[in-house]
Amino acid sequence: MTPHEIDDIRRLRVMAAAVRGAQVVERTLPAPFEEVWPAMCTLDFLPDLRRTRLLRSDGDRIELLARSKYGFRARLRGYRRPGWCWLQSRFLLVGLAAVPVPGGTRIALTGGVRVPTRAAVIPFGTASELEAAATRLTSRVAP
């Protein structure tokens, strides 16, 4: 990485900083990036999501249909590449990042319910949901 580049976790922090109410949860997992990132891409570790279905993929642009455990649906559009994923719909935001570090993989998560027409998420319960997601992911990839 050159001095002018930022890694994907810093990029996620920058993106989240532009969204009012967004929080970022970070952890270092004791598993290699090659195991962690595919597990993150499924999104099934997110507590509110019951299932997702890929609708379109064109290079690093993707579109999926997500259904929550409460029956709500969201058409998420965004970008995904190794170590980076940013998806949003009218009412939902999901941001994921991962970078290899000595002894494992550093991850960062952000997201929540969006305030329509604004760069904002509803801050109530967001931190606990992100912590729960990080814990679920850790339990799936930890040795």
Side-chain angles (χ1 to χ4, degrees):
M1 188 162 63
T2 68
H4 300 290
E5 290 183 59
I6 62 172
D7 68 20
D8 289 326
I9 290 181
R10 286 187 182 144
R11 181 176 286 110
L12 185 89
R13 280 194 223 125
V14 169
M15 294 287 287
V19 178
R20 183 177 299 148
Q23 297 182 27
V24 176
V25 168
E26 293 185 41
R27 285 209 183 147
T28 299
L29 307 183
F33 177 86
E34 295 76 25
E35 290 178 25
V36 173
W37 185 245
M40 289 179 78
C41 287
T42 66
L43 302 180
D44 67 352
F45 67 96
L46 298 172
D48 185 37
L49 289 185
R50 184 170 34 148
R51 70 172 183 236
T52 60
R53 182 173 54 125
L54 183 65
L55 299 176
R56 242 178 245 134
S57 178
D58 182 18
D60 63 354
R61 299 191 83 168
I62 64 170
E63 182 176 346
L64 359 133
L65 187 61
R67 186 173 297 268
S68 81
K69 64 182 179 183
Y70 306 108
F72 298 113
R73 294 181 310 177
R75 184 175 295 260
L76 294 160
R77 294 180 178 101
Y79 299 90
R80 180 183 62 192
R81 63 173 198 259
W84 171 257
C85 183
W86 187 269
L87 302 167
Q88 49 188 56
S89 73
R90 184 172 174 208
F91 296 109
L92 190 61
L93 171 70
V94 176
L96 314 170
V99 295
V101 295
T105 304
R106 185 84 181 149
I107 65 160
L109 311 171
T110 192
V113 177
R114 290 185 65 200
V115 176
T117 72
R118 296 184 179 210
V121 295
I122 299 170
F124 307 111
T126 303
S128 61
E129 287 286 315
L130 293 170
E131 288 289 347
T135 299
R136 287 177 75 174
L137 181 62
T138 301
S139 69
R140 292 181 185 188
V141 299

